Amino acid sequence: MKVFVDRIGARGDGIAVTEGGSIYIPDALPGEWVRIGKIKHRRGVARAEVRELLEASPARVTPGCFHYNKCGGCVGQHLGKELYAAWKQEHVERVLLRAGLKAQVLPVLFVPIGSRRRVRMEFRVVGDETLLGFREAGSAWIVDVNDCIVATAGIVGVLPILRQFLPRFGGEGWVSVTELSNGLDVVVSSQDQPDMNLRMDAAAFCAEAGVSRLSWANRKGQTEPILIIDQPIVWFADASVAPPPLCFLQPTAQGETELRNFVLEAMGGSEKVVDLYAGCGAFALPLAAEGKSIHAVEAVVAQAEAINSSASKRSTTIEVRDLWRQPLQAVELDRFDAVIIDPPRAGAAPQINQLAISSVPSIVYVSCNPVTFARDALLLLNGGYKIGPVQPVDQFVWSHHIELMAQFTRIAGK
Ligand SMILES: C[S@@+](CC[C@H](N)C(=O)[O-])C[C@H]1O[C@@H](n2cnc3c(N)ncnc32)[C@H](O)[C@@H]1O
């Protein structure tokens, strides 16, 4: 069947609007004529593969990655630069508009290719070979990867050494590699605990691979250090922290800087600030370094402890608290001049409900999900806040993800 592709969907598929309904076609661009294979229906969505590209869009570029269209990560690598930027921009604008949120959306800020500082890959030993890579989209198959153009050179460089060492952990599992200021932080998860021989050979592996900490994780994700050569350190502007294995970190240092600059500028005139969903202190610690009085709230104990043991924390107070079940109440929030809130993808409805009835003058909301951001933003607007310009940041280059942030200020008398 021959179809014309009308637009790109939120997840990067081309969408052909036909008499029979919309068909989602990966790797197809608006303005293209394509011959498609069998249409498959899943959860009410019609999907088809491109069999033949009959008329290519001038905006199409050759993907730079050998694994494009297989590993399932970079769905937008075939988009030319302008079309790619427009896709991300329009996605944010469309989501906000659909939710009924009126706000100015600033041009998307982009991070460089090759700046992703953490990857998580699967491994499986098959005969004499070790497959190491990402899961193929919608399948259990591992796409064996030697190169990844979104990851930092430090991460890509360690893959051949990892590939040699991983079978020592058993037949299959996953590995997380994070590039930090003083080397790589590697966590391997496998069925069985590492044996004594592996532990004895860990020093040689770490030295060869530039690994500062090697840990093992059980199936529940609980970690145990195998060898720490140098305590891993991450710098948030001029503040440093020793992050626990598998802690939350923004995917790129450059994107994190953009988020932090926005937050710091918005917090300029505020003295007493509460940082909700504080992670390892990416915002709290640099603000503390500026002499502000900071209260950081985070549910993961190891992350809260990392903030607490940072030499940069100054007078920061730290609270371990589940903000979904036990949000800060309006009376608690009213002690602060400003709030930073940076929740997971689910958003922060219970906490936002309390903020909406608080009298906090200023809130900066950082989000990795435009849908929950829009929902939460409307609650704040209904509670008497006004929204400033929304700034999108594209940290997951070529994926369908996008981050965004905005400042909310309480309207006088509301
Ligand atoms: C998007 S991250 C932001 C972290 C930090 N602001 C940063 O930029 O590095 C969200 C954080 O919320 C924490 N978190 C998740 N659920 C939570 C909850 N119910 N209560 C408090 N913190 C939670 C996670 O552990 C994670 O550190």
Side-chain angles (χ1 to χ4, degrees), residues 248 250 277-279 282-283 298-300 303 321-324 342-344:
F248 179 89
Q250 296 291 344
Y277 300 91
F283 306 138
E298 165 60 47
V300 175
Q303 297 183 168
R321 182 158 168 171
D322 180 337
L323 293 168
W324 191 269
D342 181 9

Side-chain angles (χ1 to χ4, degrees), residues 248-306:
F248 179 89
L249 278 184
Q250 296 291 344
T252 66
Q254 292 86 340
E256 182 185 273
T257 302
E258 297 292 358
L259 303 184
R260 184 165 47 245
N261 288 346
F262 186 96
V263 169
L264 262 60
E265 196 182 328
M267 294 292 124
S270 309
E271 282 309 312
K272 292 176 76 180
V273 178
V274 60
D275 182 5
L276 304 175
Y277 300 91
C280 290
F283 306 138
L285 292 171
L287 281 165
E290 286 190 353
K292 296 193 189 298
S293 161
I294 308 294
H295 184 58
V297 187
E298 165 60 47
V300 175
V301 175
Q303 297 183 168
E305 281 172 358

Side-chain angles (χ1 to χ4, degrees), residues 97-289:
L97 198 69
R98 204 182 296 141
L101 179 66
K102 287 195 192 113
Q104 179 196 358
V105 181
L106 298 170
V108 178
L109 296 172
F110 296 95
V111 301
I113 309 300
S115 60
R116 186 88 58 86
R117 64 179 165 187
R118 170 173 290 166
V119 298
R120 186 181 136 141
M121 291 179 169
E122 312 277 328
F123 71 92
R124 187 175 303 144
V125 180
V126 183
D128 293 341
E129 277 184 59
T130 303
L131 300 177
L132 171 63
F134 302 106
R135 285 268 172 109
E136 195 177 75
S139 117
W141 184 251
I142 297 171
V143 179
D144 199 34
V145 162
N146 290 309
D147 197 3
C148 173
I149 56 179
V150 297
T152 62
I155 291 178
V156 173
V158 81
L159 297 181
I161 309 168
L162 263 180
R163 195 183 292 276
Q164 296 292 319
F165 194 62
L166 285 170
R168 305 283 302 270
F169 285 88
E172 62 178 358
W174 54 258
V175 54
S176 158
V177 186
T178 309
E179 183 164 357
L180 296 174
S181 306
N182 55 344
L184 298 172
D185 189 18
V186 173
V187 181
V188 182
S189 176
S190 58
Q191 177 78 35
D192 300 320
Q193 270 197 316
D195 62 22
M196 201 49 78
N197 288 335
L198 187 158
R199 289 172 193 273
M200 286 194 328
D201 293 343
F205 163 73
C206 290
E208 186 189 359
V211 170
S212 51
R213 175 172 59 190
L214 175 65
S215 313
W216 174 75
N218 64 19
R219 292 298 191 197
K220 290 181 184 160
Q222 293 159 328
T223 59
E224 167 201 309
I226 296 174
L227 182 65
I228 303 172
I229 287 188
D230 189 11
Q231 184 65 52
I233 294 291
V234 64
W235 285 88
F236 299 138
D238 293 334
S240 68
V241 73
L246 302 180
C247 68
F248 179 89
L249 278 184
Q250 296 291 344
T252 66
Q254 292 86 340
E256 182 185 273
T257 302
E258 297 292 358
L259 303 184
R260 184 165 47 245
N261 288 346
F262 186 96
V263 169
L264 262 60
E265 196 182 328
M267 294 292 124
S270 309
E271 282 309 312
K272 292 176 76 180
V273 178
V274 60
D275 182 5
L276 304 175
Y277 300 91
C280 290
F283 306 138
L285 292 171
L287 281 165

